[in-house]
């Protein structure tokens, strides 16, 4: 049976991130996907590609959610940029009533744009405890925990444990390009297993959509019945290829190339998993 996944996310018209990334990633896994649009991100080419975000009306998001859920029986949900407190709460209310695997990408900022940190408390209270897997980067993890900067692998481990203690079933804290060193390191914790995942760093620069694609690849794996730790390992491999194959664009932040693992695999990309 074909697995089905729903993303609740913003639209990134540049195509690397947001629901565009999610749907392309679902497709790579052979998962049928659809999307609830929470906001639309555009750029002003006359102002150095400054971001603008248009938020969908809460009522329109509610109608999309209701429609999608009525049409399909989903095997997993993923959320990305939720935009407003109301849309985040709406999603939380839905999640409280069911046990679908849920991947929570706690997007608080968009690379190169302003912050949405006012959602932090709402995330911690309402969405973190619903997550099957939550996928914060270093900054998001620090914000969720009200911590100072996270800078070392030991910080990643502590953050993964602390976010698990906030109620998330599985946590993967992403060191990514932001953590110093030759490897891209992520730490997974689910209360039993603590795993350090690493790949050779294939880009020192940030790539637009890497985080969205990682979370949606995990959701696709969960939708197909993979365990959280296996879904994370597979997602890391696919997304590392997608980062290696990144496309330059006019914004200066290259776009993730979602089908790269299949079409343009990079040499030397392998995921190493070590239980800590
Ligand atoms: O990568 C964060 C992100 C999430 N969602 C949308 C975005 C971005 C960053 O560009 O545009 C819609």
């Amino acid at each position: 049976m074909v697995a089905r996944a729903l993303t609740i996310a913003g639209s990134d018209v540049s195509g690397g991130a947001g629901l565009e990334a999610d749907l392309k990633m679902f497709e790579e896994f052979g998962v049928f996907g659809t999307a609830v649009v929470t906001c639309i991100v555009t750029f002003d080419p006359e102002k150095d590609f400054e971001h603008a975000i248009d938020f969908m009306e809460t009522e329109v998001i509610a109608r999309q959610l209701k429609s999608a859920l009525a049409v399909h029986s989903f095997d997993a949900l993923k959320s990305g940029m939720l935009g407003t407190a109301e849309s985040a709460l709406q999603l939380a209310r839905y999640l409280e009533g069911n046990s679908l695997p849920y991947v929570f990408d706690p997007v608080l900022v968009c690379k190169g744009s302003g912050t949405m940190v006012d959602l932090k408390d709402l995330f911690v209270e309402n969405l973190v405890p619903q997550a099957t897997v939550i996928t914060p980067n270093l900054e998001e993890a620090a914000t969720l925990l009200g911590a100072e900067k996270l800078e070392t692998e030991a910080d990643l481990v502590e953050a993964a444990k602390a976010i698990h203690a906030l109620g998330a079933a599985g946590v993967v804290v992403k060191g990514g390009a932001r953590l110093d060193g030759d490897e891209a390191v992520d730490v997974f914790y689910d209360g039993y297993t603590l795993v350090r995942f690493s790949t050779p760093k294939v880009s020192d620069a940030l790539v637009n959509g890497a985080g969205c694609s990682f979370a949606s690849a995990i959701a696709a794996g969960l939708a197909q019945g993979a365990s959280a730790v296996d879904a994370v390992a597979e997602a890391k491999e696919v997304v590392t290829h997608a980062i290696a194959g990144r496309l330059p664009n006019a914004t200066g932040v290259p776009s993730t190339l979602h089908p790269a693992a299949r079409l343009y695999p990079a040499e030397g990309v392998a995921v190493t998993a070590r239980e800590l």
Side-chain angles (χ1 to χ4, degrees):
M1 266 247 279
V2 175
R4 304 175 202 211
L6 173 67
T7 178
I8 298 122
S11 164
D12 167 21
V13 71
S14 77
L19 66 89
E20 287 82 351
D22 297 339
L23 293 178
K24 285 186 261 187
M25 220 63 236
F26 292 163
E27 194 84 0
E28 285 306 305
F29 281 77
V31 168
F32 175 88
T34 187
V36 166
V37 190
T38 57
C39 58
I40 300 175
V41 177
T42 50
F43 313 94
D44 187 346
E46 270 114 55
K47 288 193 190 151
D48 200 19
F49 290 91
E50 194 179 280
H51 291 50
I53 306 182
D54 287 282
F55 299 105
M56 304 297 289
E57 296 285 342
T58 308
E59 197 266 326
V60 180
I61 298 173
R63 235 177 322 125
Q64 292 180 76
L65 202 51
K66 192 172 167 192
S67 304
L69 294 167
V71 173
H72 295 286
S73 174
F74 292 102
D75 300 291
L77 301 184
K78 181 243 158 166
S79 71
M81 194 184 278
L82 292 169
T84 65
E86 291 78 20
S87 65
L89 275 174
Q90 219 159 242
L91 172 62
R93 262 181 251 123
Y94 170 74
L95 290 167
E96 275 156 22
N98 75 73
S99 57
L100 271 185
Y102 166 51
V103 180
F104 178 26
D105 187 16
V107 179
L108 289 162
V109 296
C110 183
K111 280 169 200 128
S113 78
T115 64
M116 287 196 258
V117 282
D118 54 327
L119 291 175
K120 177 239 164 187
D121 291 341
L122 194 151
F123 278 9
V124 169
E125 278 165 39
N126 299 278
L127 289 174
V128 173
Q130 313 270 2
T132 308
V133 180
I134 183 171
T135 61
N137 62 28
L138 292 177
E139 289 160 11
E140 290 159 349
T143 304
L144 291 174
L145 294 169
E148 288 290 305
K149 266 187 148 193
L150 305 180
E151 288 175 320
T152 64
E153 281 191 39
D155 292 346
L156 290 192
V157 171
E158 286 318 304
K161 288 182 175 171
I163 294 171
H164 179 263
L166 293 175
V171 183
V172 52
V173 183
K174 303 174 292 188
R178 291 172 173 91
L179 196 75
D180 286 344
D182 305 334
E183 292 175 309
V185 176
D186 304 324
V187 172
F188 172 87
Y189 185 60
D190 64 1
Y192 306 97
T193 320
L194 183 65
V195 184
R196 175 192 188 273
F197 288 109
S198 65
T199 57
K201 215 178 246 181
V202 292
S203 169
D204 281 324
L206 298 180
V207 175
N208 178 241
C212 303
S213 305
F214 182 59
S216 47
I218 296 169
L222 294 179
Q224 291 174 320
S227 68
V229 72
D230 288 348
V232 168
E234 175 73 15
K236 187 164 174 67
E237 181 167 331
V238 170
V239 171
T240 304
H241 285 290
I243 293 170
R246 65 197 174 277
L247 296 181
N249 65 51
T251 67
V253 181
S255 309
T256 303
L257 182 63
H258 306 88
R262 175 169 54 93
L263 298 177
Y264 315 102
E267 261 180 49
V269 169
V271 178
T272 305
R274 178 158 55 84
E275 227 174 291
L276 299 175

